[in-house]
Amino acid sequence: MCGICGVFQTNSSLSMQDLKNSVLYMMAQMARRGPDDEGLYNDESCALGFRRLSILDLTPTGHQPMLSQGGRYVLVFNGELYNFRDLRANFEKRGVKFRSTGDAEVALYALAEWGTSALESFNGMYGLAFYDTVEKSLLLARDHAGIKPLYYVQTSQGLVFASQYNQVIQHPWAKD
């Protein structure tokens, strides 16, 4: 099933540790969504959490949050891209070397190269958060039918998002 969550701070009042702790709490709330692995990324502006149910890539190379080769881009991805093999083949023809065998890394590199227009090429069901560590920007997206849930709330502190509604409404920022 997997699950994603995170916070994106628009004012810099919280420490990196506070951001991290708030996402760790959200991850604990969704433990049932992913018993196989969990991961966390955070910097001074953003924290992303992931709980994994291994389906496509059963190895540690499918660990998320997934970072691009240079570390500029970070992705948490819940779902499945049905056409990831075709997208992957196009990247491999141009010399891209993938570390994993799953669809999340393909989504990561498509978003890094094509920006939001990459979403037009995705055929599947997904919810994702894509963070640019240089631009300090966050993209949230889900499939056009909304099969994979992605809830969010914009507050005076920033943005809170998750695969589960209760995670969002229980977050301290949602009480603003």
Side-chain angles (χ1 to χ4, degrees):
M1 182 181 315
C2 296
I4 64 173
C5 63
V7 293
F8 181 69
Q9 181 168 242
T10 54
N11 68 28
S12 57
S13 63
L14 293 180
S15 70
M16 282 178 58
Q17 189 62 47
D18 289 339
L19 289 176
K20 178 180 179 179
N21 289 343
S22 72
V23 171
L24 286 171
Y25 176 74
M26 293 169 73
M27 290 170 59
Q29 289 179 298
M30 66 176 182
R32 66 176 178 78
R33 294 185 72 95
D36 297 330
D37 191 16
E38 66 180 345
L40 175 81
Y41 168 87
N42 81 295
D43 67 12
E44 68 282 352
S45 300
C46 184
L48 303 173
F50 182 75
R51 293 295 304 224
R52 181 178 182 201
L53 176 64
S54 300
I55 295 174
L56 285 179
D57 186 344
L58 306 179
T59 70
T61 60
H63 178 78
Q64 293 185 44
M66 190 170 280
L67 278 69
S68 62
Q69 293 283 343
R72 176 176 178 171
Y73 302 105
V74 186
L75 176 78
V76 287
F77 179 88
N78 174 28
E80 183 177 353
L81 292 182
Y82 307 134
N83 64 333
F84 85 94
R85 287 181 181 86
D86 294 333
L87 295 171
R88 179 186 178 111
N90 289 332
F91 279 109
E92 288 175 331
K93 285 178 190 172
R94 296 192 341 253
V96 174
K97 303 281 188 227
F98 289 92
R99 296 170 292 198
S100 72
T101 59
D103 52 357
E105 189 175 16
V106 173
L108 172 67
Y109 283 100
L111 288 162
E113 184 167 324
W114 302 325
T116 58
S117 63
L119 300 171
E120 298 169 18
S121 66
F122 292 172
N123 176 14
M125 57 177 183
Y126 59 86
L128 64 83
F130 177 73
Y131 179 59
D132 183 331
T133 65
V134 173
E135 296 292 324
K136 302 297 184 199
S137 62
L138 179 70
L139 168 70
L140 296 180
R142 69 177 192 181
D143 61 272
H144 69 280
I147 296 169
K148 289 296 181 179
L150 184 61
Y151 302 98
Y152 69 94
V153 64
Q154 179 73 45
T155 74
S156 61
Q157 298 288 321
L159 183 78
V160 179
F161 71 90
S163 296
Q164 292 179 195
Y165 182 70
N166 67 317
Q167 293 170 277
V168 173
I169 63 170
Q170 291 176 9
H171 194 278
W173 291 1
K175 302 191 184 354
D176 283 352

